[in-house]
Amino acid sequence: MKLFEKNAAELSAMLQNKECSAVELTKDVLDRIDAKESAVGAYVTRCEDCLEQAEAVDNARAAGEELHPLAGIPIGIKDNISTKGIRTTCSSKMLENYVPPFDATVMQPVRKAGMVITGKMNMDEFAMGSSTETSYFHTTHNPHNLDCVPGGSSGGSAAAVAAGEAILTLGSDTGGSIRQPASLCGVVGLKPTYGSVSRYGLVAFASSLDQIGPFGKSVKDVALLQSLIQGHDNMDATSAYRNYANLYENLNGSVQGLRIGVPKEYFGEGIDAEVKDAV
């Protein structure tokens, strides 16, 4: 199995056990991007310093520094999340050449953890769409079937994980823009509870609904990344004060007695019979 086919939790263990290096992992993902990107179209901007980022992680590990479990893991960032020094376009011609002078709050823990930022992911322009066909730059295709859409607006983020062009990605969700493309691309995506992840530096669609959230190949992956980016932020007036548990460390808790409610209105006219039966 190639490194890009493994999930973040597996790769984290391999990196910590020195079964592979961050440079080796990053090279494998970059080779995968070179092989698949022309067909999938998940990226708007690719970072040119990926190997330098990975080498810094390897050097820190060799020096005996204590590193975050996600150190050296390649991550793609949806193109409506501000990244200092990296072009942020919202997939719009209006912002085609915009390079932010500041980072969104979520980028601070990502950078501090030593994750390797591979680039910015394609999306529906200004997050207005559900198919990633409205990007000014190009359409993103579903890597499982290139004739199909990957969903949206975080279609590039979902497609990249599904295609092995990134190990983890960040997206944003207002009314389904993480959950829907995760479903269509067969990966795991989470819209976190509102207020648990800072929205500072996210180009807003509907501020009362927007949330930044993770994509990964597994629930473990999503729990790792969500645990990294969650927390209170003074820069976001809607950021919630609460004790944030480490989701990854609590994955084995019992769900006995928990109930899931689904509104009866979801089963109204127009629902596909196969979906209704599955639910």
Side-chain angles (χ1 to χ4, degrees):
M1 179 181 285
K2 295 282 189 178
L3 292 175
F4 70 80
E5 295 176 319
K6 296 181 179 295
N7 64 46
E10 293 171 323
L11 291 167
S12 174
M14 291 179 67
L15 288 166
Q16 291 177 70
N17 295 330
K18 299 183 178 179
E19 296 172 23
C20 72
S21 69
V23 167
E24 289 171 334
L25 170 56
T26 301
K27 282 182 177 178
D28 201 50
V29 171
L30 293 177
D31 287 345
R32 182 65 172 178
I33 296 172
D34 289 339
K36 292 294 182 180
E37 178 58 13
S38 61
V40 176
Y43 283 81
V44 173
T45 301
R46 290 175 59 179
C47 292
E48 300 297 329
D49 66 342
C50 295
L51 293 178
E52 287 85 349
Q53 296 178 57
E55 186 176 11
V57 173
D58 287 337
N59 290 340
R61 180 166 279 119
E65 294 183 26
E66 185 175 344
L67 301 179
H68 190 276
L70 289 174
I73 301 293
I75 184 172
I77 310 297
K78 187 176 179 180
D79 209 23
N80 61 347
I81 297 172
S82 184
T83 45
K84 184 177 181 179
I86 306 172
R87 190 171 67 136
T88 301
T89 72
C90 295
S91 289
S92 174
K93 180 174 176 59
M94 285 189 286
L95 296 176
E96 184 175 7
N97 298 310
Y98 173 59
V99 178
F102 73 101
D103 268 332
T105 295
V106 291
M107 294 306 301
Q108 297 170 13
V110 167
R111 293 187 192 272
K112 185 177 180 180
M115 301 190 74
V116 176
I117 302 167
T118 54
K120 305 301 290 291
M121 316 315 300
N122 199 28
M123 54 184 280
D124 284 299
E125 185 172 8
F126 288 111
M128 296 181 183
S130 57
S131 64
T132 318
E133 294 175 295
T134 67
S135 168
Y136 164 72
F137 298 101
H138 53 259
T139 296
T140 297
H141 299 276
N142 193 313
H144 298 295
N145 183 341
L146 297 174
D147 293 327
C148 295
V149 299
S153 62
S154 306
S157 297
V161 172
E165 294 186 57
I167 303 302
L168 294 169
T169 57
L170 288 178
S172 67
D173 191 313
T174 302
S177 286
I178 289 175
R179 294 161 289 172
Q180 186 233 37
S183 179
L184 269 60
C185 290
V187 298
V188 181
L190 173 71
K191 180 181 184 180
T193 299
Y194 187 78
S196 64
V197 178
S198 174
R199 293 184 299 105
Y200 179 74
L202 174 69
V203 179
F205 181 6
S207 293
S208 59
L209 297 170
D210 291 347
Q211 276 287 259
I212 295 171
F215 287 94
K217 293 186 178 76
S218 70
V219 172
K220 285 184 177 180
D221 290 10
V222 166
L224 269 170
L225 186 51
Q226 174 64 18
S227 295
L228 176 68
I229 64 173
Q230 68 187 5
H232 178 259
D233 177 27
N234 288 327
M235 300 296 287
D236 178 1
T238 63
S239 181
Y241 288 96
R242 65 164 69 98
N243 292 322
Y244 290 90
N246 186 306
L247 301 179
Y248 183 73
E249 294 177 356
N250 288 278
L251 279 181
N252 294 323
S254 173
V255 295
Q256 185 174 358
L258 294 179
R259 300 176 68 189
I260 296 174
V262 182
K264 62 184 180 181
E265 289 80 4
Y266 284 12
F267 298 92
E269 184 180 353
I271 186 173
D272 185 281
E274 186 178 356
V275 172
K276 182 177 181 180
D277 291 344
V279 174

